[in-house]
């Protein structure tokens, strides 16, 4: 008969369907009245979670971590966590050849990779931080989302620093806010001093911004890395911090034949980008997929430009 031979790598065994994971955990007494989350860094790709046979939620992300709120499902003591991952294309179809799921490159693998953990924090916590550097005004604008169960007054502290030697010491900033709703968004301008260190491929200066809140529920903090940079265009050319630059790039289609899925650790991405830099490149395009967080951290450290695309073609 007619035998179709694919032109891409094929696994020895191909599984398409549901994969079930189950684990019994013991929740400590200290987690009582805490906000509890289940974090799965990269699932492939429909992710459903149950606690003690009680259905929690479903996530279908291909580019960002799945984070489930388990606060109302977990109390101190033993509990059974059930996770169901399904790699079949159903209602959400990202396209026949999208490298986020296709067999051509990373393969339509099934399961979870990267960090997988349960975490507990105070009921009043920082849900999200978005940073917008402005090199002309020498500042970074922080959009901080805070979630809380009760209206109250909180203290919010911002503090930036860098490992670069002889860098200017930056002053911490403290603000007080009234939380009126369960979900509050604050916009805070942080001054980066008189001589902020700029980021580009030749000088990849990185800052770390610590955001800390103090509330009736205790202290909660998060850290976010960022660079002071402005990527723009001038006529038909690109500029970085006002200087013309040239993107010398290559393509990345999620090709990891040893595993079939992308690495999630920093050292693997440092190795990949350093190899590209050794050939004089400074840029990588991720074709119809988004790499894990470690890729962004490695690019920040090495002064490497990333072009990220959605998980759909």
């Amino acid at each position: 008969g007619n035998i179709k031979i694919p032109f891409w790598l094929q696994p020895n065994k191909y599984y398409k369907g549901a994969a079930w994971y189950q684990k019994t955990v013991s929740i400590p007494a200290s987690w009582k009245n805490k906000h509890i989350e289940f974090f799965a860094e990269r699932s492939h790709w429909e992710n459903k979670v149950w606690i003690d046979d009680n259905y929690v939620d479903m996530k279908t992300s291909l580019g960002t971590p799945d984070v489930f709120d388990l606060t109302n499902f977990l109390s101190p003591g033993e509990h059974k966590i059930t996770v169901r991952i399904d790699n079949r294309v159903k209602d959400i179809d990202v396209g026949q050849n999208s490298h986020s799921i296709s067999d051509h490159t990373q393969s339509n693998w099934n399961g979870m990779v990267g960090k997988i953990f349960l975490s507990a924090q105070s009921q009043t916590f920082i849900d999200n931080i978005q940073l917008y550097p402005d090199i002309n005004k020498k500042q970074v604008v922080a959009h901080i989302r805070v979630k809380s169960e009760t209206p109250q007054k909180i203290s919010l502290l911002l503090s930036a620093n860098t490992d670069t030697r002889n860098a200017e010491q930056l002053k911490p900033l403290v603000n007080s806010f009234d939380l009126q709703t369960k979900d509050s968004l604050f916009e805070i301008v942080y001054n980066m001093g008189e001589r902020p260190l700029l980021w580009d491929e030749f000088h990849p200066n990185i800052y770390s911004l610590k955001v800390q809140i103090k509330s009736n529920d205790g202290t909660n903090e998060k850290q976010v890395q960022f660079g002071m940079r402005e990527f723009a265009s001038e006529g038909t050319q690109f500029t970085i911090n006002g200087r013309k630059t040239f993107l010398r790039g290559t393509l990345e289609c999620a090709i990891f034949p040893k595993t079939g899925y992308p690495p999630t650790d920093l050292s693997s991405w440092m190795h990949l980008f350093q190899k590209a830099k050794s050939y004089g490149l400074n840029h990588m395009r991720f074709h119809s997929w988004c790499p894990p967080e470690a890729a962004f951290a490695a690019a920040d450290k090495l002064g490497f430009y990333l072009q990220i695309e959605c998980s759909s073609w």
Side-chain angles (χ1 to χ4, degrees), residues 12-303:
N12 293 327
K13 293 183 180 180
Y14 187 97
Y15 180 78
K16 189 182 289 186
W20 294 83
Y21 304 84
Q22 204 166 68
K23 185 178 179 69
T24 300
V25 298
S26 182
I27 303 300
S30 59
W31 283 25
K32 187 178 181 180
N33 298 324
K34 296 282 189 180
H35 175 81
I36 304 174
E37 291 180 342
F38 169 59
F39 181 97
E41 182 172 0
R42 180 145 299 210
S43 303
H44 208 87
W45 57 316
E46 181 188 273
N47 190 348
K48 291 184 176 181
V49 173
W50 289 260
I51 301 294
D52 300 327
D53 301 327
N54 296 311
Y55 178 65
V56 177
D57 200 2
M58 178 180 77
K59 308 286 185 183
T60 56
S61 173
L62 278 164
T64 55
D66 293 336
V67 183
F68 295 85
D69 184 351
L70 303 183
T71 306
N72 296 326
F73 294 88
L74 288 178
S75 56
E78 283 203 346
H79 295 274
K80 182 176 64 179
I81 300 178
T82 304
V83 179
R84 179 187 185 272
I85 308 293
D86 196 333
N87 65 341
R88 288 174 289 189
V89 178
K90 299 179 184 176
D91 298 335
I92 302 172
D93 187 351
V94 296
Q96 183 180 359
N97 296 320
S98 290
H99 296 311
S100 56
I101 66 166
S102 71
D103 289 309
H104 302 75
T105 53
Q106 68 171 311
S107 80
N108 186 24
W109 55 278
N110 189 309
M112 297 174 285
V113 297
K115 296 177 182 175
I116 305 169
F117 59 83
L118 291 175
S119 66
Q121 55 188 335
S122 61
Q123 289 276 16
T124 303
F125 64 96
I126 303 164
D127 182 55
N128 189 269
I129 303 170
Q130 301 288 331
L131 301 181
Y132 301 90
D134 189 326
I135 65 172
N136 297 311
K137 293 183 179 180
K138 301 179 181 180
Q139 66 186 31
V140 58
V141 180
H143 290 183
I144 303 168
R145 187 174 297 279
V146 176
K147 292 193 174 183
S148 177
E149 288 300 309
T150 55
Q152 58 179 296
K153 184 181 286 290
I154 64 165
S155 174
L156 207 155
L157 178 142
L158 277 67
S159 178
N161 62 70
T162 179
D163 292 335
T164 307
R165 290 180 61 188
N166 303 321
E168 183 180 358
Q169 294 294 311
L170 299 175
K171 297 178 181 178
L173 177 66
V174 180
N175 285 286
S176 293
F177 293 100
D178 286 318
L179 294 180
Q180 303 293 344
T181 61
K182 288 188 175 183
D183 195 338
S184 305
L185 181 64
F186 303 109
E187 180 177 300
I188 301 174
V189 176
Y190 186 86
N191 191 325
M192 293 300 294
E194 289 299 315
R195 303 177 305 279
L197 301 169
L198 301 186
W199 184 99
D200 62 22
E201 65 177 289
F202 305 108
H203 305 94
N205 296 302
I206 299 175
Y207 286 95
S208 179
L209 181 73
K210 182 176 75 173
V211 180
Q212 182 186 82
I213 58 173
K214 293 184 178 179
S215 69
N216 298 337
D217 301 312
T219 300
N220 181 262
E221 72 174 46
K222 279 185 170 58
Q223 291 203 44
V224 183
Q225 287 193 335
F226 69 101
M228 293 296 293
R229 57 38 180 165
E230 182 184 55
F231 194 81
S233 62
E234 186 179 309
T236 59
Q237 293 179 288
F238 293 121
T239 62
I240 178 71
N241 306 331
R243 289 199 331 273
K244 288 180 182 177
T245 189
F246 188 75
L247 292 183
R248 312 176 300 278
T250 186
L251 183 64
E252 220 311 302
C253 296
I255 302 172
F256 300 94
K258 287 185 177 181
T259 59
Y261 55 82
T264 55
D265 63 293
L266 181 67
S267 61
S268 294
W269 287 100
M270 291 286 283
H271 173 76
L272 197 153
F273 294 150
Q274 283 170 332
K275 183 66 70 174
K277 288 192 75 170
S278 73
Y279 283 89
L281 303 182
N282 67 355
H283 162 252
M284 192 169 285
R285 173 197 171 201
F286 290 81
H287 178 0
S288 62
W289 79 289
C290 177
E293 181 70 23
F296 293 86
D300 286 348
K301 286 176 176 289
L302 293 173

